[in-house]
Amino acid sequence: MAAEKAEMDALKKECDGLRAQIEAARKAVNDGSMSAAASGVASVGRVQLKLRKTLKGHLAKIYAMHWSADSRQMVSASQDGKLLIWDCFTGNKLVAVPLKSAWVMSVAFAPSGNLVASGGLDNICTVYNIKAASPKTLRELDAHTGYLSCCRFLSDTEILTASGDTTCCLWDLETGKQKVIFTNHIGDCMSLALSPDMNTFISGACDSLAKLWDLREGACKQTFSGHTSDINAISFFQSGNAIITGSDDCQCKMYDLRSDQEVICYQDASLNAGVTSLALSSSGRLIFAGYDDFNCHIWDSLKGEKVGVLSGHDNRVSCTGVPDDGMGVCTGSWDSFLKLWN
Amino acid sequence: MAEAQQQQQQEEGGEKEKEEEQQQSSPVEKTEPDEGAEEPKEIAQTTPSRPLLSTRSMSIVDPDDDTPNMIVYRKIEDIITRIQDETDGVPIRTVKSFMTKIPSVVTGADIVQWLMKNLSIEDPAEAMHIGSLIAAQGYFFPISDHVLTLKDDGTFYRFQAPYFWPSNCWEPENTDYAIYLCKRTMQNKTRLELADYEAENLARLQRAFARKWEFIYMQAEAQVKIDRKKDKIERKILDSQERAFWDVHRPVPGCVNTTEMDIRKCRRMKNPHRVKKSVYGVIEEGTQSQSPIHTPLHHCRKGTKEDVEKEIVFLNTQLDRHCMKMSKVAESLIAYTEQYLEYDPFVTSPEPSNPWTSDDPTFWDLEASKEPSQQRVKKWGFSLEDALKDPAGQELFLKFLESEFSSENLRFWLAVQELKRIPQHEVAQRAQDIWAEFLAEGAPSSINLDSHSYERTSQNLKDPGRYSYEDAQDHIYKLMKSDSYSRFLRSNLYQDLLMARKKPETEQGRRTSLEKFTRSVGKSLTGKRLTGLMQSS
């Protein structure tokens, strides 16, 4: 017994030693701050966006939304038990998908535009074919032991899910079976994002860590710490070398994969509300972050300054999204409305 | 001066920040009286973030509590204190109506006016917005409606008792709600009649608590007895405050529910020691507050020796990783955003217009057309990724490679990309097909791989999967990037398209492409040619 304990202690000591070395290596490359480097960059000025459309149709809190790859259609999920697919140019509702379980937390559009997926407290990720005459359930992916917090399609044949059971999972849609289970987080996984080249993905969890995973190897490649509370939102910077996270600790952070550490922190003394969601403009220069204070604040990603705000929702902003063509930003709220701004 | 700053904030186009967070400071500083100047100054030094009040705030929030909700409650409660002040607040009066008196009310219009004057708000709509946010939290309420918003008219409002304030961390149980609805049905008063949704709630609760309904009924009776002892006017006020409390915690269907937590976080309570659950002194034994949405906590895995050993391996890989200098990282991120800034519709207006703004889809039509704009063609020159991402760019690059008799590289790359997307049951066959087409002995579109990648790949194919060709694909991609791509950018095929719609920038255009040419000629002379490419004409 004592020998086992001694062994464990020795191993743990080795871990601590390695961690200290890693920290030292990180410090060694930390030869200047991002905001200092960006001081020479031209300012974007005050970003004042106009509300272009308000999409009304849901009857309860909107929990999630996702743009289609065509940058025109968008799917939203509400706790009124429906998914709505919108043509954002005309403002029309194209398809309504009734859900078995109203407690939905996440929704995704497949790149092909043929499928949408959703899931929530039922622990199941349900995939629907929306090109059929009426929306048809294609698959029910049922293996998670916790709520489904996020899902993203790789293609019409594979989908990634993040769950409150602390794991992320890659599924094969043909068989409906799990292909790879990504385990490493010790808190509920809240959000995930695919890299531009689709070879890796990142996840944010309630253990305040963000992790980078390799889809091919099925393993965690990097871990980023710094937040002091749940990470609710996560996204890749367009170049694929950096990631942005949003947390309940009221901050957003950018981490760079190459320097393996935090690059810049987006925080403001007047912001006392948690970050619920975030999205980047197509150049990556602007970050749109939805907060619990009913607003969506706009940050200059390089200088770390707040450059604008989108006010108008009567309740928490629960989801934010910028389409691939970057024409504008969509915010969804617990007030049951989606708003389009640019 | 502070006033002017306030004005400026409001002029900034239509921004409606949660005003209480911004507007507190200056008006309060102005009203600070001269008497007792010493004390307030000291307070200011220790808690500089809190604005000074001439009267003691009724707020029950600990000034050092810096949890997000508490900060906001404190700000609201400071406003609520001032608005009820006898001299500087709104006129709260008893109104005579028909044969009754309505005690302790103020009109919505009065509240709106007060907010505008005392929080320096110019737009009545903004005042109503803040007022509605405060009402939604239950700090004041319309006496004749369950819906908690502020109207700028003669509607009567009453202020909530501090006992019921949200800063008490109320999480009232369903048993209390049942007692409340029950007791209302016991009294023969029109004003206490249940609304439809309340009657439905009561019916549902009766079914849910069928076995302990007798207990609930008794509690309700006891509450009625207590209430009867109170003075008539006092009862009117207390009844309305109690109703407003329940309007916050059991809102009318369709209304904003300020007490709802994100269901994903429900399991973990923020202030477990401070939560108040019982309104009527009824402690529920055994059952936790439980709705069907609470899932059982999964236990954290205990670290085993294996876990620690895995962690050590992981940490060692981390340590071995090369860390890029922060200055280089910053440089690269800045360079990236700068380059794509002109393609970011939030920063640079797209030509001819942004469809969201102009309601004109021409931009999208042009993007989809076979004739890409000059701006789009320019983007293909940023990186091979950008060229391949655009279907038109991919097409042109393929055409170029065909002219150099090296199109098999791109076709291989595209085939492998497709392999990663097709249904699982087709993967094995397709992997074999790719081998036959590109890598086998005497393959029709033979690609050149170094022996190491070739070995690895043929090994992988013993158990073919989506990622069997990762190594090979990587190798071919790097080859295209360093060799063919730069020649593509200098080729007539690309340059003609790039310069086709150029305005009088042509001189500069030719010069830069000439520079590129001379630089690349140097490169290709030293570069090793792995594929039998013919010279481009």
Side-chain angles (χ1 to χ4, degrees), chain A residues 8-264:
Chain A
M8 270 299 258
D9 286 342
L11 287 174
K12 284 197 178 141
K13 206 164 164 218
E14 196 181 338
C15 267
D16 291 338
L18 286 169
R19 283 203 192 97
Q21 283 181 62
I22 291 173
E23 260 320 295
R26 284 183 184 152
K27 277 211 173 71
V29 298
N30 200 344
D31 63 343
S33 82
M34 167 67 124
S35 35
S39 55
V41 176
S43 157
V44 287
R46 192 116 193 95
V47 177
Q48 284 173 276
L49 305 185
K50 290 209 170 69
L51 175 63
R52 299 297 171 188
K53 281 201 176 66
T54 298
L55 304 177
K56 304 184 189 185
H58 281 299
L59 304 171
K61 294 201 185 74
I62 291 174
Y63 251 85
M65 56 85 40
H66 193 216
W67 282 98
S68 165
D70 71 3
S71 298
R72 235 181 107 146
Q73 287 184 25
M74 178 262 288
V75 61
S76 59
S78 160
Q79 301 211 327
D80 61 6
K82 287 226 166 40
L83 299 183
L84 288 179
I85 294 163
W86 310 80
D87 174 339
C88 292
F89 182 61
T90 56
N92 293 336
K93 299 184 239 324
L94 300 174
V95 186
V97 183
L99 302 172
K100 257 194 195 163
S101 163
W103 300 101
V104 62
M105 294 169 175
S106 172
V107 75
F109 225 127
S112 64
N114 298 328
L115 310 173
V116 294
S118 73
L121 273 183
D122 56 356
N123 300 0
I124 302 173
C125 179
T126 312
V127 180
Y128 306 88
N129 177 349
I130 50 160
K131 294 296 190 194
S134 73
K136 195 161 162 272
T137 302
L138 190 69
R139 279 273 175 267
E140 283 181 346
L141 308 174
D142 187 2
H144 278 300
T145 54
Y147 58 81
L148 202 89
S149 53
C150 194
C151 50
R152 285 291 177 261
F153 284 93
L154 272 81
S155 63
D156 279 6
T157 57
E158 286 182 313
I159 191 169
L160 258 177
T161 56
S163 167
D165 66 10
T166 77
T167 67
C168 293
C169 184
L170 177 68
W171 306 74
D172 173 48
L173 287 174
E174 289 296 295
T175 57
K177 294 272 183 291
Q178 291 174 302
K179 287 178 70 175
V180 186
I181 304 175
F182 302 90
T183 343
N184 201 296
H185 277 297
I186 54 175
D188 306 10
C189 290
M190 296 296 282
S191 176
L192 66 86
L194 275 166
S195 65
D197 66 11
M198 308 270 250
N199 287 332
T200 59
F201 74 94
I202 43 177
S203 62
C206 290
D207 56 10
S208 74
L209 304 172
K211 289 183 185 283
L212 174 76
W213 310 82
D214 189 307
L215 277 165
R216 300 160 293 186
E217 296 174 32
C220 171
K221 305 300 284 181
Q222 274 175 275
T223 301
F224 302 94
S225 59
H227 278 296
T228 52
S229 186
D230 307 354
I231 293 178
N232 297 319
I234 198 164
S235 178
F236 262 100
F237 191 78
Q238 272 73 356
S239 64
N241 322 94
I243 68 175
I244 319 275
T245 53
S247 164
D248 269 348
D249 64 10
C250 312
Q251 298 175 352
C252 291
K253 288 181 193 288
M254 182 196 285
Y255 297 91
D256 189 279
L257 305 182
R258 301 161 293 185
S259 62
D260 194 36
Q261 58 189 291
E262 180 181 323
V263 170
I264 193 167

Side-chain angles (χ1 to χ4, degrees), chain B residues 22-46:
Chain B
Q22 303 258 321
Q23 311 246 8
Q24 279 284 38
S25 30
S26 26
V28 183
E29 276 152 33
K30 269 182 17 201
T31 61
E32 189 199 349
D34 280 326
E35 70 271 313
E38 286 304 293
E39 215 188 327
K41 277 209 192 95
E42 267 171 57
I43 296 170
Q45 270 149 30
T46 48

Side-chain angles (χ1 to χ4, degrees), chain B residues 54-65:
Chain B
S54 49
T55 52
R56 244 182 108 57
S57 173
M58 287 158 64
S59 177
I60 57 180
V61 178
D62 179 353
D64 293 322
D65 192 334

Side-chain angles (χ1 to χ4, degrees), chain A residues 7-8 11 14-15 18-19 21-22 26 29-32 34 37-38 41 46 48-49 52-53 61 63 67 71-72 79 89 103 105 121 147 154-155 157-158 164-166 172 174 179 185 188 190 198-199 206 215-216 220-223 230 232 237-239 242 248 254 256 258-263 270 272 281-286 288 293-295 297 302 309 311 314-316 323 325-329 334 340-342, chain B residues 11-18 21-22 67-69 71-72 75 129 133 137 254 256-258 260-265 267-268 270 292-293 295 298 300-301 303-305 308-309 311-319 321-334 336-338 340-341 343-347 350 353-361 363-364 417 420-425 466-467 470 474:
Chain A
E7 209 186 341
M8 270 299 258
L11 287 174
E14 196 181 338
C15 267
L18 286 169
R19 283 203 192 97
Q21 283 181 62
I22 291 173
R26 284 183 184 152
V29 298
N30 200 344
D31 63 343
M34 167 67 124
V41 176
R46 192 116 193 95
Q48 284 173 276
L49 305 185
R52 299 297 171 188
K53 281 201 176 66
K61 294 201 185 74
Y63 251 85
W67 282 98
S71 298
R72 235 181 107 146
Q79 301 211 327
F89 182 61
W103 300 101
M105 294 169 175
L121 273 183
Y147 58 81
L154 272 81
S155 63
T157 57
E158 286 182 313
D165 66 10
T166 77
D172 173 48
E174 289 296 295
K179 287 178 70 175
H185 277 297
D188 306 10
M190 296 296 282
M198 308 270 250
N199 287 332
C206 290
L215 277 165
R216 300 160 293 186
C220 171
K221 305 300 284 181
Q222 274 175 275
T223 301
D230 307 354
N232 297 319
F237 191 78
Q238 272 73 356
S239 64
D248 269 348
M254 182 196 285
D256 189 279
R258 301 161 293 185
S259 62
D260 194 36
Q261 58 189 291
E262 180 181 323
V263 170
S270 71
N272 298 316
S281 72
S282 55
S283 66
R285 185 66 191 269
L286 299 175
F288 300 95
D293 70 357
F294 305 5
N295 294 323
H297 294 276
L302 301 179
V309 66
S311 304
D314 290 325
N315 206 325
R316 187 185 289 201
D325 68 2
M327 287 299 160
V329 59
W334 280 12
L340 303 173
W341 320 71
N342 71 358
Chain B
E11 265 151 26
E12 280 161 356
E15 276 176 64
K16 285 181 185 182
E17 305 240 5
K18 207 168 180 198
E21 288 174 33
Q22 303 258 321
T67 48
N69 282 359
I71 294 177
V72 175
K75 289 180 179 177
H129 187 231
L133 288 173
Q137 299 289 337
V256 169
N257 184 345
T258 54
E260 257 181 295
M261 287 198 288
D262 187 330
I263 49 179
R264 295 170 291 191
K265 320 264 175 150
R267 274 204 322 254
R268 290 157 311 125
K270 301 242 163 111
I293 62 179
T295 48
H298 41 253
C300 217
R301 294 186 309 277
T304 62
K305 188 172 132 192
V308 185
E309 279 169 348
E311 180 77 6
I312 292 176
V313 171
F314 178 75
L315 291 171
N316 270 312
T317 349
Q318 298 261 295
L319 197 55
R321 172 183 301 112
H322 167 71
C323 264
M324 192 186 275
K325 284 215 186 95
M326 196 62 91
S327 52
K328 282 263 170 300
V329 159
E331 221 179 271
S332 123
L333 291 172
I334 292 170
Y336 184 90
T337 49
E338 292 286 89
Y340 287 86
L341 222 49
Y343 295 90
D344 186 339
F346 281 106
V347 182
S353 68
N354 185 325
W356 287 31
T357 320
S358 62
D359 273 337
D360 175 8
F363 181 87
W364 286 328
Q417 284 298 88
K420 297 191 234 186
R421 312 262 167 274
I422 56 176
Q424 189 64 43
H425 67 264
R466 285 187 201 282
Y467 298 112
E470 281 305 282
D474 235 7

